[in-house]
Amino acid sequence: MNLSYTDEQNLLRDSVSKFCSSDYDFETRMKSVDSESGYNPEHWKLFAELGWLAIPFSEELGGLDGNNVDLSLIFEEFGKSIIVEPYLANVVLSGGILKRGDLESKTQILEELISGTKQISLANYEPNKGYNLDNVDCEISSDGVVNGTKNTVLNAPNADFFIVFGRQGSGYAFALIPKDASGLEVVGYKTYDGFVSGDLKLNNCKAEAVFSSKNALEILDETIQDAIVCICSEAIGAMEKCYKLTIEYTQQREQFGQSLSKFQALQHRMVDMFMETEFTKSFLLKVLATEDVSEKTKLIYGLKNQVAKAGKKVGEEAVQLHGGMGVTQEMSVGHYLKRLMVISHLFGSSDYFLDKYIDS
Amino acid sequence: MDLNFSKEDLAFRDEVKEFLDKEYPKHIKQKMENGDELSREEIVEWHKCVAKKGWMGHSWPVEHGGTGWDATKVYIYLRELALAGCPTFVPFGLQMVAPVIWTFGSDEQKKKFLPRILNFDDWWCQGYSEPGSGSDLASLKCKAVREGDEYVINGQKTWTTLGQHADWIFVLVRTDDSGKKQEGITFILVDMKTPGVEVKPIITIDGDHEVNEVWFDNVRVPAENIVGEEGQGWTYAKFLLFHERSSIAGAPQMRRAINKLKNKAKNVYHGSEPLSEDKNFLSKVAQFELDLDALEMTELRGLAAMREGKSPGAESSLLKIKGTELQQRISTLAVEVSGHDAMPYGGPYGFSDVEVAATKDAQLSAPKYLNFRKVTIYGGTNEIQKNIIAKAVLGI
């Protein structure tokens, strides 16, 4: 048994952590959030230069042969600064589909993704259809014509290409669609955590390519599992920041002639926040250290259930203990709660994953 | 003891329903159903519509224009309003400053202010908290110095809800800092148009502008505008807070909201089944409804006591805690029901310029959830309410 990170992983963590703590303070983040594209292209370029966009891809695809543990520690650091740059959408989701899929041009398109020159968004969820991955109406015909509506397509307004998941005959497939394809309308918007997303309206839209029609659903499922591990790691980073911010604030804020942190009732609440974070972190390590695929899948469902509850609780407590200041846009703590809340239902709610845990 | 309404009560319920059918302005009803933002004019229009009917003073004594209803009628009235989706009354005049004025104010103040409050001619707001004085309200520093027939106010208030719309503000000011902090506080009424009063918006995490900072820079107020005696403001302030806390439980609104959610869950997927058939969801709904029943009965007990002339006391803290916890629970449940459709954010009232695929209900669930983080903080945090219950109710 070995629960420690490798030297290489520690170096990676240091490098991400250094960026997040020195180049990504709260004001910098909010500048990205308030900008038109919702992220800072300079940061994206830097991520590419540092090789971060290449991590989860094999060497033959131009990547660094990294694994889930590498991604997890990147996301944990991202979570501490609630980084809005579209790493999840591009590298984990679209990259995850492409590396597993049989798209002919995948080497070339991944090269563009890894170099940061092109962005790609995965479009699988549909309005009012819940979280089951196979619950889609979107149709991809045998000659590559796509019809349907997708929503909450992460990073849609910045995407150069979309990977659209839909039904094909009695199975499923992916369609690769450039952003300017005729028959495609993109409605971009912010999501309530400050990220960007969008709806796709596909009306007889001709795909550039259709791929993985034999195992699209399996590929999607595996990719979403990777993404769940990433956002759960991100949540843990955000939770850690939440209790630290709260300790700092309650030490500074004085009421009734002493700092709030001296009140025992509040101390216990902060201890609970810390404990929630630590136990969630332990659960994450269990997931990362598990090798058996079906056991790992079950544990990922359990992790998402745990994170949805614990992240929400820690975020809410952080806001509550900040008092009125906690609900203002100018304090960072509320923005951590927003991200934790989105993570709590992204890819499925706590109840949804509890059921999946029980059933698998 | 029974829970059945008498014939007379049922007739009254029909009268309320009929009033709402006929008089509740349709354009406001529509906006409320859509979750759209009401303008100042529309909020005033709604209050005036109720005032015209003579029903604004449901919690007021008859001699000041109150309706004289018993607890059952008040309950029926508020419940019907909530079930019809009416806007809640702006409480700062009606439920907060008015009881202070009729209990501690001068005859001139009663004559000058109460009829205008009852008719919603003046919009009131609250000047209590300060940046350094939240839970520890009595440490407030906003200063008023007597100069001849006037007080000159300097300082800052914060978290003033809807202060941007207000005509008047009731303010706790420090007129003496030589003794204990609870002494030397004075309760004063200030016209918002007085030179030196400035309102600055605070944007909350849902993106809304609801609360404000209010700044006082050499604001000169006639000395006749202090309520009761100089230096006794803390007593009036606490009296007001009990009234404030008893008015924020919101059980009937939650009844309506949970019914709406149950309906919505029939058309939402949980895996491959409708959410309305999911055991986890059903158990959350059931637990919520049970707690709501208990809250509602506790509220009724309070109303009954108030009608017998008892001022709401520290017991109102029970309602505040439980009511706000339930408000947060249902706002969380609404986000869960909306799933990923809760993510698109078009501001606190939804998108005005683009059409998105998620329903408006779903889009609004997240801003509402975020907005409702405030309820366990305002009106005295729930932590402070527990201190009050421990001290004043349990005697420990």
Side-chain angles (χ1 to χ4, degrees), chain B residues 174-384:
Chain B
R174 182 156 301 284
T175 40
D176 179 7
D177 51 16
S178 60
K180 272 177 61 186
K181 63 183 177 183
Q182 288 84 357
E183 293 161 7
I185 293 173
T186 298
F187 194 107
I188 193 164
L189 313 176
V190 181
D191 186 334
M192 294 291 279
K193 287 188 292 294
T194 320
V197 177
E198 194 188 348
V199 179
K200 293 182 187 169
I202 299 173
I203 304 302
T204 45
I205 49 176
D206 55 333
D208 205 1
H209 170 205
E210 209 176 37
V211 288
N212 301 273
E213 298 175 352
V214 181
W215 293 73
F216 297 87
D217 180 19
N218 284 316
V219 174
R220 308 188 82 88
V221 181
E224 70 208 35
N225 280 18
I226 70 162
V227 176
E229 288 172 51
E230 184 184 298
Q232 291 303 305
W234 186 245
T235 313
Y236 317 143
K238 280 195 301 184
F239 171 88
L240 180 147
L241 282 174
F242 290 147
H243 277 268
E244 173 178 4
R245 284 165 195 155
S246 63
S247 70
I248 47 189
Q253 282 82 4
M254 287 192 272
R255 183 76 60 193
R256 177 182 156 91
I258 192 73
N259 288 338
K260 240 176 121 175
L261 266 190
K262 277 155 76 178
N263 267 326
K264 199 177 161 192
K266 291 179 193 159
N267 301 310
V268 168
Y269 281 99
H270 177 79
S272 51
E273 303 287 321
L275 182 60
S276 55
E277 285 166 31
D278 173 49
K279 267 266 179 327
N280 290 321
F281 176 74
L282 289 174
S283 105
K284 280 182 195 171
V285 169
Q287 280 164 18
F288 183 86
E289 289 181 325
L290 290 171
D291 285 342
L292 191 55
D293 281 340
L295 176 75
E296 215 165 31
M297 285 306 291
T298 314
E299 216 170 1
L300 270 174
R301 284 164 64 194
L303 274 176
M306 259 170 94
R307 287 303 313 163
E308 284 160 25
K310 289 185 199 138
S311 158
E315 289 79 6
S316 62
S317 294
L318 268 78
L319 291 178
K320 201 270 169 171
I321 294 172
K322 197 68 183 178
T324 54
E325 283 174 0
L326 289 179
Q327 285 168 23
Q328 290 187 339
R329 248 162 72 191
I330 196 167
S331 74
T332 302
L333 201 53
V335 177
E336 272 182 48
V337 170
S338 303
H340 65 91
D341 288 349
M343 287 168 69
Y345 175 74
Y349 302 97
F351 290 89
S352 52
D353 47 353
V354 288
E355 284 270 313
V356 303
T359 63
K360 185 152 183 191
D361 247 11
Q363 291 164 42
L364 290 181
S365 66
K368 185 145 195 189
Y369 161 83
L370 293 168
N371 183 281
F372 271 47
R373 303 319 307 164
K374 73 186 177 191
V375 299
T376 47
I377 297 168
Y378 70 19
T381 64
N382 285 16
E383 290 76 16
I384 289 293

Side-chain angles (χ1 to χ4, degrees), chain A residues 128 199 253 255-256 316 320 355, chain B residues 131-132 136 270 341 357 369 376:
Chain A
N128 207 27
D199 293 355
R253 171 87 175 165
Q255 293 284 274
F256 305 105
E316 287 175 350
Q320 179 72 20
D355 283 354
Chain B
D136 185 9
H270 177 79
D341 288 349
Y369 161 83
T376 47

